[in-house]
Amino acid sequence: MSGGSFFCSIWDFFDKGSLRIPFRTIDGVLYPALYIDCRAGEKEFSLIGMIDTGAVYSVFNGFHIGSDLLCTGEREEIWSNVPGQSLTVYSHETKIRFPDFDFLPDISLTVRYSEVNISRNLLGRDFLKKFHLAFSEYYGSFDLIEVSKL
């Protein structure tokens, strides 16, 4: 692959209608985050999903779906961001909608819901299989484009 094709693909990203989204202030700190509406089973809820490129999976707080639905999912242990500690989660297929950007498609994602309270709802690299992402710390924003548009 030549260096030129790499740079063309980067510029194509911006030419194909990427969406510039400002970072959100959460607890006094700017983060790349999206307001999202979710549906898991019969439970519907809204939350702020923080984009975390270091998280393999999207992980939401289990209280969003309630204990009756939580434990019906596939149970697994995943590594937490605390070295040497794991987190018990339950997987559920979740429909996600972006109310601030209704031109973005609704997506379906296997979300891991935590058994214990977590402080942030994370959109991990599984989310980034559906969207391409470019950060601009300088401007306090990020660009998002559907994979299908590239």
Side-chain angles (χ1 to χ4, degrees), residues 31-140:
Y31 291 102
L34 294 164
Y35 289 109
I36 57 177
D37 292 335
C38 304
R39 181 183 178 104
E42 297 300 313
K43 301 284 186 175
E44 294 184 9
F45 53 94
S46 298
L47 55 83
I48 296 174
M50 295 177 60
I51 298 173
D52 184 347
T53 60
V56 175
Y57 305 114
S58 294
V59 181
F60 295 171
N61 209 317
F63 77 80
H64 290 296
I65 60 173
S67 58
D68 55 329
L69 180 60
L70 178 66
C71 295
T72 64
E74 181 181 339
R75 183 181 191 270
E76 61 185 304
E77 298 288 321
I78 61 173
W79 290 106
S80 73
N81 61 351
V82 178
Q85 293 190 7
S86 63
L87 182 66
T88 301
V89 295
Y90 296 86
S91 300
H92 290 276
E93 198 64 24
T94 303
K95 298 286 185 193
I96 297 176
R97 192 175 74 74
F98 307 93
D100 291 345
F101 309 105
D102 53 358
F103 54 87
L104 286 176
D106 294 357
I107 63 170
S108 184
L109 195 63
T110 301
V111 173
R112 276 70 174 177
Y113 290 88
S114 66
E115 187 176 68
V116 297
N117 190 33
I118 58 174
S119 60
R120 304 278 191 261
N121 297 294
L122 304 178
L123 293 168
R125 293 197 326 254
D126 52 354
F127 169 77
L128 296 176
K129 290 179 182 175
K130 306 206 182 250
F131 295 96
H132 285 277
L133 174 71
F135 289 113
S136 176
E137 284 288 335
Y138 181 80
Y139 291 108

